[in-house]
Amino acid sequence: MSADVQSPALGDLVRALTALDYSADLVLAALGREGHAEALSGNPGAAVWHLTRRRDTGAVDPRSATLTAVFFLREPVEFGAVAGVLGDDLADDLVAAGILAADQTDTDALVRSTIDIRPVTHDRHGDGRPVLIASDPDASAATTTRRSDHVPGVGQAPLTLLNQVPASPTESLLDLGTGSGVLALLLPAARTVATDVNTRALDYARASERSVTGTDATPVDFREGSWFEPVTDETFTRIVSN
């Protein structure tokens, strides 16, 4: 079952995780440096071992352990533990939207996230607060067939591009092919327009924007269409494209 990314539950989840301080610092503290390195190197089994050991020894609190296991490692977790952190209503809504799905490898009441939500910060851009980027799981790790409208998450390519973009804010920013929205949401501008031909990508990006709602960040104008078609006759002081 694919996640219904048009469901309001996705944006509600991003907002809830923001309120719970789900961040790179929380994940690092939960996994420890060794466990975090294992996760980033594509060894989730070792990362889970470190997380479990740290939770059992009291080095990490249960809430942080649950958030890290479900949304960073995408490991199966008891539904009751997820509901205990997010609240019963939101947890039920996430199951109804297919964002949390029953884990088919176990007969217990375990659920697994069908999406990725990664906290992202960048030294050159933003104000240090994490932006939570929602996307489809890495295709190489997905347990289901990749969709034709698959939306990749935060890989090395956008992070490398962020290192090349000037650190100074700009008057108007255009992000062509925004995907999950990481560039549009991190780069400061007085006005930002982000385009993509993939409706599912824009749904993810709009949900991710809930992690900066309520701050002084200017709302992003997300538009569906191919390349420059949605911005005909408009000009921008900075254009980026991954």
Side-chain angles (χ1 to χ4, degrees):
M1 176 181 180
S2 296
D4 176 10
V5 298
Q6 292 184 326
S7 169
L10 178 56
D12 291 343
L13 172 60
V14 171
R15 185 175 62 179
L17 291 177
T18 302
L20 289 167
D21 294 324
Y22 176 64
S23 63
D25 288 341
L26 180 147
V27 170
L28 179 59
L31 293 173
R33 294 196 178 278
E34 292 181 0
H36 191 254
E38 295 285 7
L40 296 183
S41 65
N43 192 356
V48 170
W49 183 87
H50 283 281
L51 177 63
T52 301
R53 181 176 62 85
R54 291 174 62 78
R55 182 197 62 200
D56 291 347
T57 59
V60 59
D61 63 275
R63 186 194 72 174
S64 297
T66 296
L67 292 177
T68 301
V70 176
F71 297 111
F72 190 79
L73 299 177
R74 295 187 57 251
E75 289 294 313
V77 173
E78 290 185 4
F79 176 77
V82 181
V85 174
L86 298 179
D88 293 338
D89 290 343
L90 178 54
D92 288 339
D93 289 344
L94 294 174
V95 171
I99 295 170
L100 289 178
D103 183 61
Q104 300 300 319
T105 63
D106 200 290
T107 57
D108 293 332
L110 302 180
V111 291
R112 183 191 297 267
S113 175
T114 63
I115 66 170
D116 270 341
I117 300 185
R118 296 289 168 134
V120 181
T121 57
H122 197 278
D123 292 340
R124 289 167 57 87
H125 307 290
D127 56 7
R129 288 175 291 191
V131 176
L132 303 187
I133 300 298
S135 70
D136 288 323
D138 183 349
S140 65
T143 57
T144 57
T145 303
R146 173 171 171 162
R147 300 172 54 110
S148 59
D149 55 356
H150 176 86
V151 180
V154 183
Q156 194 58 45
L159 298 179
T160 300
L161 182 55
L162 284 168
N163 290 330
Q164 310 305 318
V165 178
S168 59
T170 191
E171 180 180 343
S172 54
L173 174 72
L174 172 62
D175 179 13
L176 286 172
T178 189
S180 55
V182 59
L183 298 178
L185 294 173
L186 272 176
L187 293 173
R191 179 174 74 96
T192 299
V193 177
T195 70
D196 205 292
V197 71
N198 187 346
T199 302
R200 186 177 176 85
L202 295 175
D203 289 334
Y204 268 125
R206 291 188 181 102
S208 297
E209 190 177 25
R210 296 288 292 275
S211 65
V212 297
T213 301
T215 69
D216 55 1
T218 303
V220 176
D221 182 359
F222 292 106
R223 303 182 191 179
E224 183 177 356
S226 178
W227 292 104
F228 290 99
E229 289 178 1
V231 292
T232 301
D233 299 328
E234 294 183 56
T235 59
F236 297 86
T237 56
R238 184 169 296 161
I239 299 175
V240 296
S241 181
N242 175 24

